[in-house]
Amino acid sequence: SAAEAYRNLGADPLKLAVIPYCCDTSRYANADESEVRHVREKCGLEDKTVFLFSGQLIERKGVDVLIAAFHELAKARRDVALLLLGDGPLRQALESSVSPECRDRVHFAGHVEQAELPSYFHAASVFVLPSRHDGWGVVVNEACAAGLPVIATESVGAAKDLVADGRNGFIVPRDDVGALAGKMDFLASNPGQIRLFGECSRQSVAAFSPESCARRFCECALAAIGKP
């Protein structure tokens, strides 16, 4: 999306090279099974399709839209749960917005230390990033590495590179409660697709390791100075 923006500003396409945002995804590939069970038991997630959000609880992240979509989903089914990781100035308002009927299925975990995040990701079924704007969103890298399908808005930069709509997740319009609820319902209704989408997520992030991105940076730098 950045390269597209520069092209639209008149930049020479031959002088543009894409080096994606990367992180150490290897630690998300696996998680301690006992710790994963502990998370699911602590939050009451057993036998449920668990939708996960991880990030700041701020207006830009669109968590209010996610909660509204979950309300729509939860009206028709009891086998779903929403797990929210992170903290921020909107936490109290967001907690208050959860209807009494859903409070036993919406869990605010607060800040989670980096070392514990893989266990939470592996305790989930689907990752959701409903941002109103995210230049990238490295949490999408992490979710893909954990083998999760991803539902993201069209305003998430990483979705353009890591989410193939209908293959490892879905891209929905920002602020569209109905569209988000519909995709969440589709995955909750098709557990086999969750597994297949998750495998595709692992494949999509394979080229986004620190090693591969460093190699790409070196290739671009050498090309810029005219060396092979």
Side-chain angles (χ1 to χ4, degrees):
S1 61
E4 181 182 347
Y6 280 117
R7 283 194 296 270
N8 291 338
L9 289 170
D12 181 352
L14 296 177
K15 293 186 177 182
L16 292 175
V18 175
I19 304 170
Y21 200 116
C22 66
C23 67
D24 181 10
T25 53
S26 62
R27 65 194 192 90
Y28 284 87
N30 299 288
D32 185 282
E33 283 301 320
S34 63
E35 294 179 7
V36 174
R37 282 196 303 272
H38 173 70
V39 171
R40 293 186 69 89
E41 291 169 1
K42 178 176 67 173
C43 298
L45 306 177
E46 297 92 339
D47 302 319
K48 289 184 172 62
T49 300
V50 181
F51 295 92
L52 173 71
F53 167 85
S54 180
Q56 292 177 290
L57 302 184
I58 56 178
E59 192 271 343
R60 179 170 63 83
K61 293 293 185 178
V63 183
D64 55 319
V65 178
L66 175 54
I67 290 175
F70 185 78
H71 279 150
E72 291 296 315
L73 180 66
K75 286 178 185 177
R77 43 192 329 145
R78 292 287 307 172
D79 60 343
V80 291
L82 179 60
L83 179 58
L84 302 158
L85 311 184
D87 216 332
L90 293 184
R91 178 169 177 173
Q92 185 174 354
L94 291 169
E95 287 181 332
S96 299
S97 74
V98 179
S99 69
E101 296 79 17
C102 289
R103 281 182 188 148
D104 64 330
R105 289 176 285 162
V106 178
H107 309 279
F108 288 81
H111 173 73
V112 175
E113 294 295 333
Q114 284 286 324
E116 300 174 30
L117 283 174
S119 297
Y120 281 84
F121 276 65
H122 279 263
S125 312
V126 178
F127 184 78
V128 186
L129 190 59
S131 300
R132 295 183 167 98
H133 172 73
D134 251 313
W136 181 260
V138 74
V139 70
V140 176
N141 299 54
E142 298 167 346
C144 288
L148 296 178
V150 176
I151 305 174
T153 67
E154 60 194 1
S155 299
V156 174
K160 291 181 173 63
D161 294 75
L162 287 171
V163 182
D165 194 67
R167 184 171 179 269
N168 73 315
F170 297 106
I171 299 176
V172 298
R174 55 174 279 180
D175 289 319
D176 192 329
V177 172
L180 180 55
K183 297 306 183 186
M184 293 168 71
D185 185 47
F186 173 83
L187 288 172
S189 302
N190 294 278
Q193 288 295 105
I194 290 178
R195 185 180 66 258
L196 292 174
F197 278 28
E199 286 303 313
C200 290
S201 282
R202 290 186 192 275
Q203 294 168 17
S204 74
V205 81
F208 288 70
S209 68
E211 294 81 8
S212 62
C213 291
R215 186 166 54 250
R216 176 67 175 146
F217 180 88
C218 291
E219 290 169 354
C220 294
L222 289 169
I225 61 174
K227 292 190 175 182

